[in-house]
């Protein structure tokens, strides 16, 4: 029997991993990218890479504080926050004549 137009046998072509899903490797990848951004931010461009790590960690956690939290997502959030804080402190201390203490 032949399938007519719109009656394909493949189902929905955008199912199972072709788009951003809440489960699967996309969240794990975002967590790893967040950790890499946070670690790289300690050495260079912390004011940019810190917030990027926070955002990646937040999306890797599924944009929620409840439920299971993957370790790379929590590490990305924590290190990104520390990285951002240190970059802001460093920038405040680098301003001429405006020392922090």
């Amino acid at each position: 029997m032949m399938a007519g137009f719109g009656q394909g046998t493949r189902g929905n072509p955008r199912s199972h991993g072709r788009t951003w899903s809440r489960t699967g490797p996309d969240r794990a990848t975002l967590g790893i990218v967040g950790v890499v951004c946070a670690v790289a931010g300690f050495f260079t461009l912390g004011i940019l890479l810190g917030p990027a790590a926070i955002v990646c960690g937040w999306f890797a956690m599924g944009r929620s504080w409840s439920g299971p939290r993957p370790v790379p997502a929590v590490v990305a959030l924590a290190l990104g926050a520390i990285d951002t804080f240190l970059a802001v402190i460093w920038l405040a201390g680098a301003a001429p004549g405006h020392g922090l203490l």
Side-chain angles (χ1 to χ4, degrees), residues 1-28:
M1 187 167 188
M2 227 167 133
F5 289 110
Q7 305 296 326
T9 58
R10 288 182 26 190
N12 189 357
R14 293 198 177 266
S15 62
H16 304 297
R18 296 232 3 226
T19 61
W20 288 84
S21 62
R22 291 192 174 267
T23 59
D26 292 331
R27 286 173 58 180

Side-chain angles (χ1 to χ4, degrees), residues 1-58:
M1 187 167 188
M2 227 167 133
F5 289 110
Q7 305 296 326
T9 58
R10 288 182 26 190
N12 189 357
R14 293 198 177 266
S15 62
H16 304 297
R18 296 232 3 226
T19 61
W20 288 84
S21 62
R22 291 192 174 267
T23 59
D26 292 331
R27 286 173 58 180
T29 303
L30 278 173
I32 293 169
V33 167
V35 170
V36 169
C37 284
V39 170
F42 282 114
F43 300 105
T44 181
L45 296 173
I47 197 68
L48 297 175
L49 294 176
I54 292 171
V55 169
C56 286
W58 178 251

Side-chain angles (χ1 to χ4, degrees), residues 83-99:
D83 193 16
T84 303
F85 177 73
L86 291 177
V88 167
I89 296 295
W90 181 77
L91 285 175
H98 294 90

